[in-house]
């Protein structure tokens, strides 16, 4: 008889002689990692409850621009949101996580919309009729590493 771990070996933890360590990322490092991420997750309030959706994004300076279709209930008003992206290897457990908290507002200027449409190449499904800019107030990041050899 096989166990679930035998059926799904990617869920088993590799043998490790040392625990992972974490390191806080600088704002510049965090933003650089966001530019390399294929997608992220936006967290916003819907009916006074947190809602999380995957979104394609780009980093423009220190702002994050995402596609968010109008049906997502991300309101057309300014609102506080969080944006998260990460890459963590399931086998080695090395990777990083960046969280941006700030104010989201719809992009309505036709020139800006045209510029961002050329820069942002979405691949997630769904309508692409709405773009939102996140102005960060807080940018935090953490990297998970192997410990330094002694």
């Amino acid at each position: 008889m096989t166990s679930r771990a035998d059926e799904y070996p990617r869920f088993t933890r590799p043998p490790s002689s040392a625990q992972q360590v974490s390191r806080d990322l600088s704002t510049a490092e965090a933003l650089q990692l966001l530019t390399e991420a294929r997608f992220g997750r936006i967290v916003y309030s819907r009916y006074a409850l947190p809602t999380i959706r995957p979104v394609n994004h780009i980093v423009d300076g220190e702002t994050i621009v995402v596609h968010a279709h109008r049906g997502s209930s991300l309101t057309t008003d300014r609102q506080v949101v969080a944006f998260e992206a990460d890459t963590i290897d399931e086998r080695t457990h090395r990777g990083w996580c960046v969280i941006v908290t700030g104010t989201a507002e719809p992009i309505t200027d036709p020139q800006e919309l045209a510029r961002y449409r050329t820069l942002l190449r979405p691949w997630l499904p769904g309508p692409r009729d709405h773009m939102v800019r996140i102005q960060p107030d807080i940018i935090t990041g953490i990297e998970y590493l192997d410990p330094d050899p002694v």
Side-chain angles (χ1 to χ4, degrees):
M1 175 181 222
T2 60
S3 71
R4 299 279 294 171
D6 292 333
E7 293 175 30
Y8 302 100
R10 66 187 183 111
F11 294 113
T12 61
R13 185 176 177 113
S16 175
S17 59
Q19 290 287 337
Q20 296 293 112
V21 296
S22 62
R23 175 182 79 86
D24 290 335
L25 298 170
S26 70
T27 297
E29 289 172 316
L31 287 170
Q32 178 58 43
L33 288 169
L34 286 182
T35 66
E36 299 168 11
R38 296 186 62 218
F39 71 96
R41 295 162 193 86
I42 191 165
V43 182
Y44 58 95
S45 180
R46 180 177 183 193
Y47 306 117
L49 297 171
T51 301
I52 303 170
R53 296 284 184 262
V55 291
N56 293 117
H57 71 282
I58 58 170
V59 177
D60 186 21
E62 286 196 5
T63 64
I64 307 347
V65 176
V66 303
H67 268 290
H69 64 85
R70 294 191 193 283
S72 70
S73 10
L74 190 56
T75 68
T76 57
D77 299 326
R78 292 172 50 105
Q79 65 177 298
V80 174
V81 300
F83 178 81
E84 186 274 346
D86 60 62
T87 299
I88 299 176
D89 184 280
E90 289 184 26
R91 190 179 64 73
T92 65
H93 303 139
R94 288 188 302 258
W96 56 270
C97 175
V98 172
I99 300 172
V100 174
T101 305
T103 305
E105 61 186 3
I107 299 171
T108 57
D109 179 84
Q111 289 180 329
E112 281 187 301
L113 284 169
R115 177 174 170 260
Y116 289 131
R117 283 194 178 109
T118 63
L119 296 173
L120 184 54
R121 302 279 184 218
W123 57 269
L124 288 169
R128 305 195 184 350
D129 57 354
H130 189 54
M131 286 192 175
V132 174
R133 176 186 298 112
I134 302 170
Q135 295 285 353
D137 292 317
I138 303 168
I139 301 173
T140 60
I142 192 164
E143 183 176 25
Y144 302 103
L145 316 154
D146 289 328
D148 287 332
V150 180

